Amino acid sequence: MGQAVVVGAGVGGLAAAGALARNGWRVTLLERNDRLRADPAAVLLWPNGVRALRALGLADGLDSIATPVPPSGIRRADGSWLVQPGAAAALSPRSAPVVVHSEDLHDALIARLTATVDVRTGISVRQARVTPRDRPSVTDGRATWEADLLVGADGVQSVVRRAVSPESSVISSGYAAWRAVIPWYRAPHLATDVALGAEILGGDYRFFAASLGERGSAGASTRGGIYWQATVAGAARPEAPATQLALLRRWFERWPAPVGDLLGATEPDDLVQHDVREINPALTEFGTPSTTGGVALIGDAAHGMAHHLAQGACLAFEDVATLVALANQTQPGDGLRAAVLAYSKARVPRSAAVARQTKRVAAVLAPRGRFGTRARDAAFGVLSTRVLDRARAEAANWFPPN
Ligand SMILES: Cc1cc2nc3c(=O)[nH]c(=O)nc-3n(C[C@H](O)[C@H](O)[C@H](O)COP(=O)(O)OP(=O)(O)OC[C@H]3O[C@@H](n4cnc5c(N)ncnc54)[C@H](O)[C@@H]3O)c2cc1C
């Protein structure tokens, strides 16, 4: 095996660095933050993401931190049901997710980094150099790292992507999102008939919550608590977190339980705000060969997209499972170059399909304006649930390469 440099220690980079090192690669992991850390939020892992993690040998860690999200239906902002809980559509068990605290997931991935991974934090890569005749390299302006395999896992604003695909650009998806985990010891008492896990949809607003563990115990998650996510049409807010929280409480004021209870129990420091962005136009290559191997883009660096299907992290794990399976069958040279190309060929159509479904789901879950919302609500009985079910089923329908 050869030398790999992984840029970015988000979920994709951590999974890639660990999996490559466990398979005999010499790995350097470069992260711009001063320590390896996750946002204090949570992620849904769909069956495809779970399969990818299992293929990477991470199943044991996952089972102890994941909590199933029961099918809980879809409601309007006035509390009435668009899809009753238990209805077959919209969250069929086939495509139902589990929810995981992001810090638990990060800890599980860090625990599987072997002692051989050279982790360098506080390194902000400024430039990547990729030519057909040299080994790819990256620099932070002071030091340079060369590799047989350079993995760009540096998120939607990727520096590595800029080197291999300078024409790509990042645009706003037109939404801001907030996420928070209320720790279990601060979680509000919820009425017994209030189901977490239901999507609640309004005009330009959307709210979702899921339990990470029972009140009073850590439950399935090490940390436990209640995760919520709010999506609002428009740009991210520049104000301080306390003002953002006050705005969220105002926007969602008349929404059904448990929205008010959860926003009331949230503290400003719990909030994680996102200006939702996507790569546009989508890349047509995720891999670029060079002398002994090449560059592979994974995760949001390759296919950053809006979060309406909540598949970004799952796709990153699929990328890693595919890349590692291909790279492990080769040595630096012709074989690794072919593996980089095969990786791109396998992953571009798959992420394009999920991006297409994400756009369809956006029209259902996040229509813009009063007219769009009325049209969505009128059609919801049949058409929209079919769109949702199909999108989720297609996204979940991925299996790791042998
Ligand atoms: C509101 C919201 C909800 C979501 N919910 C879900 C969900 O439920 N399920 C799901 O699967 N996905 C979800 N996603 C998507 C998911 O969060 C992302 O797709 C995923 O985090 C991407 O992981 P990544 O490792 O590719 O990139 P990132 O998480 O962005 O990590 C990139 C890493 O690279 C580092 N870095 C960046 N630039 C440099 C540089 N120049 N030098 C060195 N290091 C650098 C960063 O510091 C960071 O650590 C959601 C997204 C949003 C916005």
Side-chain angles (χ1 to χ4, degrees), residues 379-393:
F380 217 96
V382 188
L383 186 65
S384 302
T385 47
R386 235 181 255 159
V387 171
L388 272 183
D389 226 15
R390 196 161 151 205
R392 286 172 170 160

Side-chain angles (χ1 to χ4, degrees), residues 43-361:
V43 282
L44 299 180
L45 294 178
W46 300 84
N48 53 309
V50 172
R51 273 182 221 114
L53 285 169
R54 287 191 194 288
L56 290 166
L58 293 163
D60 291 350
L62 185 65
D63 288 343
S64 59
I65 57 173
T67 310
V69 179
S72 306
I74 301 177
R75 306 172 81 177
R76 293 188 190 86
D78 65 7
S80 60
W81 289 101
L82 281 162
V83 178
Q84 291 279 350
L91 259 183
S92 64
R94 213 162 21 104
S95 48
V98 293
V99 63
V100 177
H101 197 299
S102 303
E103 291 170 348
D104 285 340
L105 183 59
H106 246 64
D107 286 353
L109 294 171
I110 290 167
R112 297 303 310 278
L113 291 178
T114 71
T116 61
V117 177
D118 177 15
V119 180
R120 308 277 183 101
T121 53
I123 302 288
S124 188
V125 167
R126 285 170 42 183
Q127 216 179 351
R129 186 158 172 270
V130 185
T131 70
R133 282 189 301 279
D134 302 302
R135 291 170 91 210
S137 63
V138 291
T139 178
D140 67 345
R142 285 172 298 185
T144 299
W145 291 266
E146 263 190 20
D148 300 305
L149 179 63
L150 172 61
V151 180
D154 47 343
V156 72
Q157 302 284 10
S158 171
V159 170
V160 178
R161 186 183 65 244
R162 243 183 278 145
V164 291
S165 186
E167 72 288 353
S168 69
S169 62
V170 174
I171 61 166
S172 165
S173 298
Y175 299 92
W178 284 264
R179 298 199 278 182
V181 173
I182 305 166
W184 60 265
Y185 56 83
R186 263 204 274 125
H189 279 288
L190 299 178
T192 46
D193 60 342
V194 170
L196 293 171
E199 292 266 4
I200 311 180
L201 310 178
D204 289 342
Y205 303 87
R206 180 177 145 208
F207 195 93
F208 168 81
S211 173
L212 289 160
E214 292 295 310
R215 184 184 159 80
S217 85
S221 158
T222 308
R223 289 176 171 86
I226 299 178
Y227 167 58
W228 63 256
Q229 179 195 304
T231 302
V232 176
R237 303 295 302 208
E239 295 92 341
T243 311
Q244 292 173 28
L245 186 55
L247 282 170
L248 285 163
R249 286 176 181 155
R250 200 167 76 215
W251 292 332
F252 289 92
E253 198 173 8
R254 293 199 175 77
W255 282 46
V259 178
D261 297 316
L262 297 182
L263 291 176
T266 302
E267 295 186 354
D269 284 350
D270 299 332
L271 279 189
V272 181
Q273 184 186 212
H274 302 269
D275 196 2
V276 182
R277 292 176 180 274
E278 60 194 54
I279 299 173
N280 189 295
L283 301 192
T284 53
E285 305 285 350
F286 294 168
T288 306
S290 65
T291 40
T292 54
V295 182
L297 298 173
I298 65 167
D300 281 6
H303 41 64
M305 62 183 77
H307 63 292
H308 305 303
L309 258 182
Q311 276 282 352
C314 297
L315 286 178
F317 294 135
E318 290 183 18
D319 292 339
V320 177
T322 307
L323 179 64
V324 170
L326 289 163
N328 279 345
Q329 295 163 11
T330 66
Q331 294 292 332
D334 286 348
L336 186 54
R337 274 202 300 275
V340 165
L341 288 172
Y343 164 75
S344 181
K345 200 166 166 213
R347 297 304 300 159
V348 169
R350 163 67 180 159
S351 67
V354 176
R356 229 174 9 253
Q357 294 296 356
T358 295
K359 288 207 182 329
R360 286 192 188 133
V361 163

